[in-house]
Amino acid sequence: MKILFKFVLAFIVPIFLMATPALPQEFGDFDPFKIEEASPSNSVKFVADPTGTAPTVKVHSFHIPPGYCSDKKYGDGVSSDCKFQSTRSQMWENVAATKKNGQVQPKSAWYGFSIFFPSDSTFGKKQTKGHQEFAYWHNEHCPHLSLKNFAGSDDILAISTTIALGGYDCSDGPSLKIAEFKDLVGKWNRFEVFVNWSNNDSGEMKLFLDGKYVINYRGPTLTAGFENKNYFKFGSYLCCTADVKKVKEHRILYAAVKRAPTRDGLFVEEDHKLLSSLQTALNALGCDVGAVDGKANKKTRDAVLSCKAFPAGQLPAELSAGSLRAYRDSYTAPSVASLPKGTQPNSTNAVALVNFPSLETNTAQTFVTATYQVRGGEAQAKNTGDDSQVDSDFTFQIKKNKDVPQLGFILVGSYSQKLKNFVELRFILQDGVKGKSGLDECPASVERFPDGTAHANLTFSKQGDNWVATNAKCLMAKLPKRQSKSIEFLATNFADLAVGMMKSGSASQIRHNGVKVFIERVALGEIKIQAPAQ
């Protein structure tokens, strides 16, 4: 069986660079941006808006030709995009330029950017398989947070955290869905992101798309062990493909890239013009906002929310840079005069569509007792919905476990909707086995990935509804300590992972329906994962 695996990515030390054509003041209080030198020549441009609908007069254009990769060496002097079968066209924030925040981000900040995916975009399933990163925060090893798509696998734009596996090897933490590409292509999409940076549960990330509150994430926002560097990158980066020659040409546009201490600080010059137009329309409707000054003052905000009663759900809950155009267009539409007068809402606090951890966990369910508290869940799913075949990546952080603080594995098998259980089940460690391990002496215990690396394959036999890890003892005896302990944890404490996903709500984000049912049944004790009897 061919396995789709999430390559643990060796991200690069920034390559030294050429000056960007964009002026620093375009970026709010970001440090200056530079063009990533591994980008194709002349692929990054600052041009007049070709769409006529961008929130700025000029936009950043990124273009990657088909089959392109760069041989320019990374910071280690050996690796390159071509070596990793990767390609890019990007700009990155030079946090070392001023060091006003050290080499990191402010403790908390708002980030704004607009992305235009052309209608003929070769993203998602239209692209060759790989990890497509768009806007993200990086530390030279792993993205702390990343807007990404599993190219060639799904058509979903998600935001994910990262778990470092050591060196430059990284693995995805929870990946939370933002939107499907079919709802993004052919138009500008305005993102507003608030981040409180932390390597523990005090971290927070809120993401708004076109003013609508999409994601409320609470948990680590900094990759543990790499907190001392954090810079922003944007453009397009497709990594870890099977063959970079199969990469299809793609283009993407960005506008209104800005960082600010407040949400209102994300307004750009054209936004203030739009806001003046909105204020004029409100005054004409008899909803007095005072002087038309292009400022989002309290009178304007109150009038926007109460001047007219729009159908429920038509407009976002708050006036911001992301929702401004929707409000302006609604209040200048010919039909607006016939709408009844609105009422001032008691609260304008928006409610997120996706919460992590879940705010709606069913605590009435009695889960099995967990030994360890874990955080994480499904990072990628090759097969989704009711597919009989399962190939899903999972990544976890395990608290107070010195032997296995982090764990990444691929759940593979055949699932029966009728039985609500697997009929064949395997766990494959994401962490590759280096050197001679003697794994070949263990039956069916080695999985070879397309890049030639060997990975431990934990196999199971079915006993009723339960599963026994048949080759666990042999694997534990032959593998290096860290991987041996990982196998032991999967064979004896898999229920802890299931309980953790159920309690945090990450189980609700699993994209394969069968896996979702399986995890719930394990958490409830209806299905047991067991090591063989001693």
Side-chain angles (χ1 to χ4, degrees):
M1 176 180 180
K2 185 178 180 181
I3 303 298
L4 173 70
F5 67 102
K6 184 186 61 50
F7 189 92
V8 284
L9 176 62
F11 268 88
I12 70 169
V13 175
I15 311 165
F16 295 101
L17 309 202
M18 36 185 154
T20 169
L23 298 175
Q25 58 262 33
E26 288 290 328
F27 299 111
D29 69 359
F30 271 123
D31 275 294
F33 278 79
K34 293 180 176 293
I35 295 174
E36 189 73 78
E37 199 177 31
S39 305
S41 178
N42 297 316
S43 70
V44 182
K45 297 180 180 180
F46 192 48
V47 300
D49 170 30
T51 70
T53 56
T56 53
V57 175
K58 284 192 170 184
V59 302
H60 291 89
S61 171
F62 299 89
H63 169 230
I64 298 179
Y68 171 83
C69 69
S70 171
D71 277 321
K72 289 183 171 63
K73 298 296 184 284
Y74 296 174
D76 62 6
V78 177
S79 304
S80 68
D81 278 1
C82 285
K83 181 177 179 179
F84 283 108
Q85 298 297 305
S86 304
T87 186
R88 74 181 71 221
S89 178
Q90 292 179 303
M91 296 183 71
W92 68 281
E93 179 196 8
N94 183 11
V95 290
T98 68
K99 295 187 178 179
K100 58 187 177 184
N101 299 300
Q103 295 196 57
V104 295
Q105 301 295 301
K107 173 60 179 174
S108 63
W110 281 91
Y111 301 86
F113 46 91
S114 289
I115 305 179
F116 185 92
F117 298 98
S119 297
D120 59 352
S121 295
T122 51
F123 302 120
K125 292 180 180 178
K126 295 180 181 179
Q127 186 56 270
T128 192
K129 289 182 180 179
H131 292 245
Q132 187 120 37
E133 312 277 347
F134 300 106
Y136 57 98
W137 293 263
H138 206 281
N139 58 35
E140 295 184 355
H141 292 258
C142 312
H144 295 292
L145 293 173
S146 175
L147 265 71
K148 70 186 302 179
N149 164 253
F150 294 107
S153 177
D154 63 41
D155 287 319
I156 294 171
L157 179 66
I159 190 164
S160 65
T161 60
T162 300
I163 295 172
L165 301 178
Y168 287 96
D169 289 344
C170 312
S171 181
D172 289 312
S175 276
L176 307 178
K177 177 181 175 180
I178 299 171
E180 295 184 21
F181 274 116
K182 67 180 179 62
D183 298 320
L184 300 173
V185 296
K187 67 183 185 69
W188 284 97
N189 305 277
R190 192 85 176 254
F191 294 86
E192 299 165 282
V193 184
F194 170 80
V195 186
N196 181 56
W197 295 104
S198 172
N199 63 0
N200 56 44
D201 286 346
S202 67
E204 181 182 17
M205 184 273 295
K206 298 181 179 181
L207 184 145
F208 297 79
L209 175 57
D210 295 330
K212 294 185 178 180
Y213 195 5
V214 180
I215 293 174
N216 176 33
Y217 166 86
R218 290 167 292 119
T221 50
L222 290 173
T223 304
F226 299 97
E227 301 91 340
N228 62 345
K229 183 159 287 188
N230 188 4
Y231 54 95
F232 185 68
K233 302 186 79 168
F234 69 101
S236 183
Y237 175 53
L238 179 62
C239 82
C240 318
T241 70
D243 184 355
V244 74
K245 293 179 181 178
K246 295 181 180 179
V247 171
K248 300 179 180 68
E249 178 181 32
H250 56 102
R251 301 174 185 270
I252 193 170
L253 302 174
Y254 283 78
V257 178
K258 198 172 184 183
R259 186 182 70 195
T262 66
R263 192 176 183 184
D264 280 355
L266 300 182
F267 284 99
V268 296
E269 183 179 353
E270 291 301 307
D271 291 327
H272 293 296
K273 294 178 182 177
L274 272 179
L275 190 49
S276 292
S277 175
L278 173 58
Q279 290 173 323
T280 298
L282 289 166
N283 280 337
L285 291 168
C287 302
D288 181 28
V289 300
V292 175
D293 58 6
K295 296 179 180 179
N297 51 55
K298 186 177 186 302
K299 289 185 71 173
T300 298
R301 292 183 187 278
D302 289 347
V304 157
L305 297 177
S306 63
C307 183
K308 291 293 182 179
F310 292 94
Q314 177 176 321
L315 292 169
E318 299 172 307
L319 176 64
S320 69
S323 65
L324 175 58
R325 185 174 292 274
Y327 276 112
R328 195 287 305 266
D329 291 349
S330 295
Y331 273 109
T332 56
S335 59
V336 70
S338 62
L339 293 176
K341 181 175 174 56
T343 57
Q344 185 68 38
N346 293 328
S347 173
T348 59
N349 291 329
V351 178
L353 299 177
V354 176
N355 289 284
F356 183 91
S358 173
L359 300 180
E360 301 174 353
T361 300
N362 184 359
T363 55
Q365 294 186 95
T366 303
F367 300 127
V368 297
T369 301
T371 304
Y372 294 99
Q373 182 182 355
V374 300
R375 186 181 195 91
E378 184 185 70
Q380 178 183 5
K382 178 180 178 181
N383 303 319
T384 60
D386 293 325
D387 197 309
S388 62
Q389 297 302 308
V390 172
D391 191 341
S392 296
D393 290 8
F394 286 85
T395 310
F396 296 92
Q397 292 176 318
I398 305 168
K399 294 187 176 181
K400 298 181 180 179
N401 187 331
K402 294 181 180 179
D403 292 325
V404 192
Q406 299 165 343
L407 176 63
F409 69 97
I410 306 167
L411 191 157
V412 179
S414 300
Y415 185 83
S416 167
Q417 298 290 340
K418 181 179 179 180
L419 297 175
K420 294 184 179 180
N421 199 347
F422 284 86
V423 293
E424 183 260 336
L425 181 65
R426 296 185 289 140
F427 296 159
I428 304 168
L429 291 187
Q430 291 177 351
D431 195 7
V433 180
K434 298 178 181 179
K436 295 182 179 179
S437 63
L439 278 186
D440 291 336
E441 299 174 22
C442 302
S445 295
V446 181
E447 182 70 33
R448 294 283 176 183
F449 282 3
D451 65 350
T453 56
H455 296 254
N457 180 32
L458 181 62
T459 57
F460 294 87
S461 65
K462 198 165 184 288
Q463 295 184 2
D465 276 346
N466 301 326
W467 293 91
V468 177
T470 52
N471 64 342
K473 286 184 179 179
C474 187
L475 285 174
M476 290 161 57
K478 299 295 183 181
L479 286 168
K481 180 180 178 181
R482 185 177 72 171
Q483 293 165 330
S484 175
K485 291 294 184 181
S486 295
I487 290 293
E488 182 181 5
F489 190 95
L490 284 171
T492 59
N493 292 94
F494 183 80
D496 292 10
L497 307 180
V499 171
M501 282 189 280
M502 292 300 296
K503 286 186 174 180
S504 72
S506 69
S508 64
Q509 305 297 324
I510 294 173
R511 286 177 281 173
H512 191 286
N513 295 333
V515 177
K516 192 180 299 183
V517 171
F518 177 73
I519 292 298
E520 181 176 0
R521 293 192 68 193
V522 171
L524 293 171
E526 297 175 1
I527 296 175
K528 294 181 174 62
I529 303 293
Q530 302 169 318
Q534 297 296 324

